[in-house]
Amino acid sequence: MANYVMFIILAVVILGSAVLCVTTKRIMRAATFLLFVLFGVAGLYFLLDYTFLGAAQISVYAGGVTMLYVFAIQLVGRRSLQGLMERMKVSRVAAGAILSLVGLLVVCAVLMKNQFMYAACQVADVEVPMSTIGKALVGADKYQYVLPFELISVFLLACIIGGLAIARKEEK
């Protein structure tokens, strides 16, 4: 019963913070609400007794949100940080909603075509040991993820440097 109550509390915190993160107009508040979402997900991991994933969620993503704070301060102008930015246009909101709906329909069509829901509902008979998960995450063989992870991290670093270069370009 206690697990059920904790799940309800965490679900409300996650959903409420996610909605507030998306709807707020101030970037620092959005980053703070994102931090609450990530801590809520870590709470779900701890509730499921996945302590390693919960600790990784807190350490990796809390550090990521801290970097988001730093880059938000560096990249965004002073007026935006103070909440003095222009209003959203109805046409842009409608276009975003339509594109989001189209994206949702495409994802649903792909999932239905590949029968992903049927495969996802089947439960494994044995528990996978943590050593196997660790080897899959940091191994370099086939179906292991260290090389894609490193390539994505280099790509994201290039994006950050490009964003800083564009934001700090002096006008002539």
Side-chain angles (χ1 to χ4, degrees):
M1 183 66 182
N3 283 345
Y4 185 71
V5 171
M6 281 303 298
F7 175 77
I8 296 296
I9 291 171
L10 287 171
V12 168
V13 167
I14 290 170
L15 291 175
S17 297
V19 168
L20 288 171
C21 178
V22 173
T23 57
T24 187
K25 293 182 181 179
R26 296 186 179 188
I27 192 163
M28 298 307 283
R29 287 185 184 172
T32 304
F33 288 131
L34 178 63
L35 187 63
F36 289 147
V37 170
L38 296 174
F39 277 132
V41 172
L44 287 178
Y45 286 142
F46 286 125
L47 191 63
L48 293 170
D49 289 331
Y50 291 141
T51 54
F52 174 76
L53 288 177
Q57 175 83 10
I58 289 174
S59 63
V60 171
Y61 290 117
V65 170
T66 304
M67 291 306 297
L68 182 67
Y69 277 128
V70 170
F71 284 113
I73 292 169
Q74 287 182 354
L75 291 176
V76 177
R78 185 177 190 183
R79 292 174 51 91
S80 295
L81 283 175
Q82 294 173 349
L84 302 173
M85 51 192 223
E86 72 265 0
R87 300 277 181 199
M88 288 189 286
K89 295 180 180 177
V90 177
S91 61
R92 284 190 173 189
V93 172
I98 291 171
L99 285 174
S100 298
L101 186 61
V102 168
L104 177 68
L105 292 175
V106 168
V107 168
C108 288
V110 168
L111 290 178
M112 294 297 195
K113 180 180 180 262
N114 294 326
Q115 297 178 350
F116 179 76
M117 296 299 177
Y118 176 73
C121 291
Q122 295 192 3
V123 179
D125 291 336
V126 290
E127 185 175 340
V128 179
M130 190 56 69
S131 62
T132 305
I133 295 172
K135 287 177 186 174
L137 288 176
V138 297
D141 294 333
K142 188 176 182 181
Y143 303 119
Q144 294 181 343
Y145 298 105
V146 76
L147 186 61
F149 177 76
E150 290 299 325
L151 290 175
I152 289 171
S153 66
V154 169
F155 176 71
L156 288 174
L157 179 64
C159 291
I160 290 170
I161 292 170
L164 285 172
I166 290 171
R168 296 293 176 198
K169 202 177 268 189
E170 295 181 17
E171 294 182 22
K172 293 181 181 179

